[in-house]
Amino acid sequence: MRKPTNAVPQSPAGPTSPWNHPAFTLLLALLLGIIAWMVVTIYVDPQGNYTVQNVPINYAYSASTYTSQGLDIVEKPDLETVDVKVSGNSTIIGNIQNSDIMVYPSYSGVSGPGKVTLRLQARLVNTTDFPGDIECTVENPKTIDVVFDEVSEKTLPITVDASGVSVADGYMLNKTTAVPAEITLRGPTSELDQISSVVATVSSDSKLSDTTTVPATLELRDENGAPFTTQYTTMDSETANITLTIYQVRELPLTVDFIGAPTNFDADSLKYSLSQETLRVAGPARTVSTLESLTVTDFDLAQEFEMGRDYQRLVELPAGIVSLDGVTSVTLSFDTEDMESKKLNISNIKAINVPSNYEIEILSSLVSGVTLYGPADEIEALSADSVVAQIDCQSVNLTVGQQTIPVTIQIPSSTRIFATGSYTVQCEVVAK
């Protein structure tokens, strides 16, 4: 007898529903997982991390911690930026830029000179756009090595080395001027102590004949004049403008101006000499080139002349002209071998240049004891009638009434005789 067979019923043939497809089930599970993650992220746990790259290191922040100890950074790593991990609400931290964060070393461990390992810290500075609890952490490197030392300042004048400058014939380099005139150095005290001078070296490709200004690089030198290379010291300027003042050089004769002599007196008739006949001078070409001679201070024959005496006279140089011989005065000597003197009482008294609103009556009848000098032959033949005591009213402040008025002694008959001394006459001044 045959046993009955337990056959599985077969499904009727036809199209399969997409809801029962395995791929659909997988996609649906994935979508539900994403939705669940977003719900948790946004509403349940919105925290996340974000890396902000190339955030600059601010070495100046809290610098008073070490500057108050007289210290400064003399060496730091060649590191300008770092990456910072930002932790917080993931919906906003993704918009944070490197300008919204500040990275700075912690100087709390700095207590003296030397190399110190500093921890880098970061904080959010833009709390207006990014409120809430946001944490910033430097990723790499987390520490840096910085060298501190005692820092001071030292100010030195700029010394100009113009040994490489050539000047044209007949000219000289008178002086050099640097702008700025001095330089302030700042750095470790131990390094500053080794710097003795700041030198600007200048040279010229051609021979100079006029003042010029050239730029120059500044060089630090030690006490032996050798170049000194600093490791940490800085200068407030590394260049200077150097003015090279070029002067023209000339040798000029010295002359004397004689005053206090009669109007028609010939000064060339005097036999005199100077201890130095010429003088080497230098100055701007526009001034020196126009000079024909140099004058010593005026010599007043009427007030200063005496027989057999020498006189010290200052050399009067025009503004901007310098003496290359170092001479500032010369000795004036007269050859009086052929000169004689004579004293006369002068009765010939005249007034000239009398103002139209005044009349002058000369009350004195004589000018007594007038001393005259000149060549021996002319002095011997000179008489009182040939001499005039002259009042020049242009040089007198006239007042009504009796007045003592100075006179000058004139010798119309001679151009080589002069008088010495001061003389006056008594006059009556009347207004018209």
Side-chain angles (χ1 to χ4, degrees):
M1 180 175 178
R2 294 181 61 186
K3 294 181 179 180
T5 304
N6 296 324
V8 177
Q10 298 294 322
S11 299
T16 303
S17 172
W19 299 101
N20 296 325
H21 197 281
F24 174 78
T25 304
L26 179 61
L27 289 173
L28 181 60
L30 180 60
L31 177 61
L32 292 174
I34 293 174
I35 293 173
W37 174 81
M38 292 180 64
V39 170
V40 171
T41 299
I42 298 175
Y43 297 102
V44 179
D45 184 13
Q47 297 300 305
N49 297 322
Y50 172 65
T51 298
V52 181
Q53 298 180 331
N54 301 322
V55 181
I57 301 175
N58 186 347
Y59 287 93
Y61 183 69
S62 296
S64 59
T65 304
Y66 59 82
T67 57
S68 62
Q69 304 177 54
L71 302 175
D72 201 355
I73 296 175
V74 296
E75 184 179 359
K76 58 187 178 182
D78 187 17
L79 182 68
E80 299 296 331
T81 63
V82 294
D83 295 342
V84 176
K85 183 177 74 173
V86 179
S87 301
N89 191 314
S90 57
T91 60
I92 62 174
I93 61 174
N95 295 320
I96 295 177
Q97 305 293 321
N98 57 7
S99 59
D100 300 319
I101 301 172
M102 181 173 65
V103 173
Y104 56 95
S106 174
Y107 298 118
S108 58
V110 179
S111 59
K115 181 185 288 187
V116 183
T117 299
L118 304 176
R119 181 168 53 89
L120 290 178
Q121 296 180 317
R123 68 182 183 89
L124 189 68
V125 291
N126 185 359
T127 57
T128 301
D129 295 333
F130 305 101
D133 187 12
I134 298 176
E135 181 181 353
C136 299
T137 306
V138 177
E139 290 191 329
N140 188 41
K142 296 183 181 297
T143 61
I144 56 174
D145 290 334
V146 176
V147 178
F148 294 87
D149 202 346
E150 293 183 357
V151 171
S152 58
E153 290 186 349
K154 185 176 187 177
T155 300
L156 293 173
I158 294 178
T159 302
V160 179
D161 179 1
S163 58
V165 174
S166 299
V167 296
D169 292 340
Y171 292 82
M172 62 170 285
L173 175 61
N174 177 61
K175 65 178 181 179
T176 59
T177 307
V179 177
E182 58 185 22
I183 290 295
T184 298
L185 310 174
R186 189 173 189 276
T189 304
S190 58
E191 196 169 73
L192 291 180
D193 289 342
Q194 301 179 66
I195 302 172
S196 296
S197 61
V198 179
V199 179
T201 302
V202 292
S203 60
S204 59
D205 297 331
S206 59
K207 293 187 176 181
L208 302 179
S209 59
D210 198 5
T211 297
T212 185
T213 299
V214 296
T217 301
L218 301 179
E219 182 181 63
L220 302 179
R221 297 188 182 179
D222 61 19
E223 60 181 4
N224 298 318
F228 181 80
T229 302
T230 62
Q231 189 173 2
Y232 306 120
T233 298
T234 60
M235 299 188 290
D236 56 7
S237 178
E238 295 185 353
T239 61
N241 289 324
I242 308 301
T243 298
L244 305 170
T245 302
I246 307 298
Y247 276 2
Q248 185 179 8
V249 178
R250 290 190 64 190
E251 185 171 1
L252 297 171
L254 293 175
T255 60
V256 182
D257 282 342
F258 294 100
I259 62 173
T263 304
N264 65 338
F265 182 75
D266 179 13
D268 291 336
S269 67
L270 292 170
K271 296 179 180 179
Y272 70 92
S273 62
L274 295 171
S275 58
Q276 185 157 329
E277 299 294 332
T278 62
L279 192 65
R280 290 177 64 249
V281 295
R286 63 181 179 275
T287 302
V288 172
S289 61
T290 62
L291 297 177
E292 295 183 358
S293 63
L294 298 171
T295 304
V296 301
T297 49
D298 295 342
F299 186 87
D300 191 336
L301 285 171
Q303 301 300 323
E304 297 183 79
F305 181 82
E306 294 179 14
M307 297 279 275
R309 179 185 165 189
D310 294 335
Y311 307 86
Q312 292 294 316
R313 315 307 294 179
L314 294 175
V315 178
E316 295 183 326
L317 296 177
I321 304 299
V322 296
S323 170
L324 299 181
D325 297 328
V327 174
T328 57
S329 65
V330 293
T331 301
L332 170 65
S333 302
F334 291 93
D335 180 359
T336 59
E337 183 178 356
D338 296 330
M339 293 183 70
E340 292 291 343
S341 66
K342 177 183 285 189
K343 284 192 176 184
L344 296 174
N345 296 324
I346 309 304
S347 59
N348 190 3
I349 305 172
K350 295 182 179 180
I352 63 172
N353 298 318
V354 180
S356 58
N357 56 335
Y358 287 108
E359 287 184 354
I360 294 181
E361 179 185 357
I362 300 172
L363 303 179
S364 300
S365 59
L366 286 176
V367 178
S368 302
V370 175
T371 302
L372 298 118
Y373 288 93
D377 56 341
E378 292 191 27
I379 287 293
E380 185 177 351
L382 184 67
S383 66
D385 294 338
S386 300
V387 181
V388 177
Q390 182 175 279
I391 302 169
D392 187 354
C393 295
Q394 274 189 338
S395 58
V396 178
N397 184 21
L398 295 176
T399 58
V400 174
Q402 286 197 9
Q403 187 174 353
T404 300
I405 300 176
V407 296
T408 60
I409 306 301
Q410 305 292 327
I411 305 94
S413 62
S414 175
T415 60
R416 301 193 295 172
I417 297 176
F418 61 92
T420 62
S422 298
Y423 306 97
T424 60
V425 293
Q426 196 71 17
C427 298
E428 180 79 27
V429 179
V430 179
K432 287 186 177 180

